[in-house]
Amino acid sequence: MESLPWPKGQKLVHLDLKGAPPRVEYLHKLIDLFSQLGVNGLLVEYEDMFPYEGELKLLQATTHSSYSREEVLSLQEAAKSKGMEVIPLIQTFGHMEFVLKHRTMCHLREVAHCVGTLNPHKEDGVKLVMEMLRQVVELHPDLHTLHIGADEVYMLGEGEESKLWLASPGQTVEQLFLIHVAKVAKAIKEAWPQMHIIMWDDMMRGMSQDTLNDSGLIRLVEPMLWDYTPNLDVEKTVSLLEKYCSAGMVDVWAASSFKGSTSVHTCVPNTHRHVENHRQWLKVAASVSATVKLKGIALTGWQRYDHLSVLCELIPVALPSLVTCLQLLTDGQFNADTQRKVTEKLGISSVEVENMERRSQGRTLAHLIVDLNSFLNSEDVRYFEKNMFVRGWFSPYHQHRKMVSPLITMQIHRQASTYLTVLQQKVEAVREEMVHFYPDSTVQEWFEEHVSPVLIPLQRIRDDITVLNLWITKSFRFFQGL
């Protein structure tokens, strides 16, 4: 079954720009690479990197510059020259953190403490969404398809207006969700009648076929069913796709993952994990009935779990995973020949990024990140505060009473200093490469999130011992209190 390649249709690569937005020059290089691998579309999640104007200008990123209008157009031209469609992904219900975090927008939240979910009862919310979409459509002159998000609409039904609405007999949270999405979809169709509309499917998975039949979404939206796990349940997924089809949503999409779905803070992807996810999707594609029109698959590469979370794996370090998954979809299987094609295409020695050699620029950065990540996660370095000597002879009790063994603290100081020297060398090497791909603010954020949690404790121990040794040297009171 899995020996069949992915059926004809679109292969989209997802560019999640809400974190670590690549420099435009690097995006153009990626488009060249994607075109050689059978990719015929980009699912671009702009978020705060889109150059919103007027009253929406406050949505633009503040830690770095959003892409300019010229850069957005150049991205489309580069994609078009390679036969790729650009599909913007604009959140319209859940995951609107980058919008609703602003003080002037916070009144549009479903509940005050949930920054991501729009209040479905406020007409100003729909007006806001439509103005966002209008600006995006205007800057995409050849646009045929929009993705309106609508996944993970947390806390829906918990707002006061929703509670009042739900108090009426027969009204449910499911209906509340469907009414808002239908309102947005109908407004899009009124403004742009030929526009195709994709949406995430997860909020509809538990709905009955009757509920879907009465949803008002039939022939309006195309569900994109996402599952990023290596043990994806094929039978359940096929059943879901066929349920949507039976409800009248004949055009459906799949969404897999090549990075950004292992854990919220993963730094280096595991290619095997993502390969297994795509193998399962191949089984799904081979198992669905002929009535299901599987229009394509989006290989998602999340850069953050949401707007307010830390950075996941960067694109350069995830390229072996992405290229391997694309090759798997083309070949229909993962074997030695598949791996050979990938390693030759990228000029690397292994599809697992931990094992690949340093050759070209992007893979030099990947290798340096892997090397740094390995050092940061070594037990001796990451848990230095918990080693026998620090816990046994330099505990808070010892430090507070200044009753330490100079012999052992000198040993701790020497080891901490050695680790810091090595760490700083590795950090500088990564920094020098990373600035070629990402803005300075991204580089700084990446180091604060991935390096500082290890760096700061090492510096603190080294500096505390230095200060304490100076005090001991001056006072000659080596064992006060014993």
Side-chain angles (χ1 to χ4, degrees), residues 251-415:
D251 295 327
V252 293
W253 296 75
S256 58
S257 169
F258 71 91
K259 80 177 186 78
S261 58
T262 303
S263 76
V264 71
H265 54 75
T266 298
C267 188
V268 176
N270 181 300
T271 298
H272 176 73
R273 173 188 174 87
H274 297 291
V275 163
E276 289 304 306
N277 174 240
H278 286 80
R279 290 174 72 167
Q280 295 301 95
W281 271 114
L282 282 174
K283 294 176 184 178
V284 170
S287 301
V288 292
S289 65
T291 56
V292 176
K293 185 179 178 183
L294 197 53
K295 291 189 69 174
I297 184 169
L299 290 80
T300 65
W302 300 99
Q303 196 55 74
R304 302 185 194 275
Y305 275 28
D306 66 39
H307 181 77
L308 300 174
S309 66
V310 298
L311 295 171
C312 301
E313 309 99 305
L314 299 177
I315 291 177
V317 81
L319 280 181
S321 173
L322 172 58
V323 176
T324 304
C325 292
L326 283 167
Q327 192 64 55
L328 167 62
L329 292 179
T330 298
D331 293 352
Q333 54 190 341
F334 182 69
N335 53 28
D337 188 52
T338 305
Q339 296 183 64
R340 179 189 57 78
K341 292 175 183 175
V342 173
T343 55
E344 288 181 359
K345 175 66 68 178
L346 293 178
I348 56 178
S349 56
S350 171
V351 298
E352 287 294 350
V353 69
E354 293 94 337
N355 303 324
M356 70 184 192
E357 297 172 357
R358 296 168 58 176
R359 295 186 187 177
S360 69
Q361 188 182 41
R363 287 173 286 284
T364 297
L365 176 58
H367 179 277
L368 291 171
I369 288 175
V370 169
D371 184 47
L372 174 58
N373 185 64
S374 177
F375 184 75
L376 291 171
N377 286 317
S378 63
E379 195 167 307
D380 290 344
V381 176
R382 181 165 287 275
Y383 303 109
F384 188 77
E385 290 178 295
K386 298 181 180 180
N387 78 26
M388 180 182 75
F389 294 106
V390 176
R391 293 189 67 180
W393 283 272
F394 199 61
S395 69
Y397 178 86
H398 293 101
Q399 294 177 55
H400 180 69
R401 288 164 178 76
K402 297 182 174 62
M403 42 182 285
V404 298
S405 164
L407 177 65
I408 293 181
T409 55
M410 286 173 63
Q411 179 180 337
I412 296 170
H413 185 279
R414 184 163 53 249
Q415 187 62 71

Side-chain angles (χ1 to χ4, degrees), residues 40-220:
N40 49 21
L42 301 176
L43 182 61
V44 184
E45 188 160 1
Y46 288 106
E47 250 213 23
D48 59 359
M49 287 303 294
F50 187 81
Y52 288 106
E53 296 181 331
E55 293 183 0
L56 298 186
K57 191 169 184 177
L58 84 166
L59 303 185
Q60 292 188 26
T62 55
T63 56
H64 46 254
S65 298
S66 297
Y67 294 130
S68 67
R69 295 177 66 85
E70 293 72 25
E71 288 172 328
V72 171
L73 289 170
S74 77
L75 173 65
Q76 295 172 67
E77 283 302 313
K80 185 177 180 181
S81 71
K82 300 296 182 180
M84 295 184 200
E85 179 183 4
V86 173
I87 301 175
L89 193 166
I90 309 299
Q91 289 286 2
T92 58
F93 205 171
H95 281 305
M96 292 189 66
E97 293 91 351
F98 85 104
V99 178
L100 300 178
K101 70 179 182 180
H102 295 285
R103 185 172 299 177
T104 56
M105 303 287 187
C106 66
H107 67 286
L108 296 175
R109 299 175 190 171
E110 168 72 336
V111 292
H113 60 278
C114 181
V115 188
T117 298
L118 192 69
N119 184 329
H121 305 279
K122 293 188 182 296
E123 285 302 317
D124 283 349
V126 176
K127 290 178 182 177
L128 166 67
V129 163
M130 289 306 298
E131 176 58 19
M132 291 168 60
L133 291 170
R134 186 194 66 76
Q135 292 195 23
V136 170
V137 172
E138 184 183 85
L139 199 53
H140 292 73
D142 299 321
L143 193 62
H144 304 294
T145 307
L146 274 172
H147 194 309
I148 61 170
D151 59 318
E152 297 178 333
V153 187
Y154 301 128
M155 305 299 293
L156 182 62
E158 296 298 316
E160 292 305 314
E161 289 173 274
S162 289
K163 288 178 179 178
L164 284 173
W165 188 88
L166 291 168
S168 298
Q171 299 194 148
T172 66
V173 174
E174 289 180 347
Q175 292 171 336
L176 189 57
F177 171 81
L178 294 169
I179 288 170
H180 175 79
V181 175
K183 188 182 296 184
V184 171
K186 288 174 183 176
I188 291 172
K189 284 291 190 179
E190 288 176 9
W192 307 286
Q194 304 307 314
M195 192 72 70
H196 293 275
I197 304 170
I198 302 173
M199 65 176 287
W200 297 120
D201 83 300
D202 55 287
M203 295 295 292
M204 301 189 293
R205 289 179 191 174
M207 296 182 187
S208 68
Q209 188 169 313
D210 287 342
T211 299
L212 293 172
N213 285 335
D214 298 334
S215 66
L217 295 178
I218 308 305
R219 291 183 293 279
L220 271 181

Side-chain angles (χ1 to χ4, degrees), residues 16-30:
D16 182 12
L17 304 177
K18 64 175 170 280
R23 297 188 185 277
V24 172
E25 300 78 15
Y26 182 50
L27 284 176
H28 286 199
K29 291 179 180 178
L30 289 173

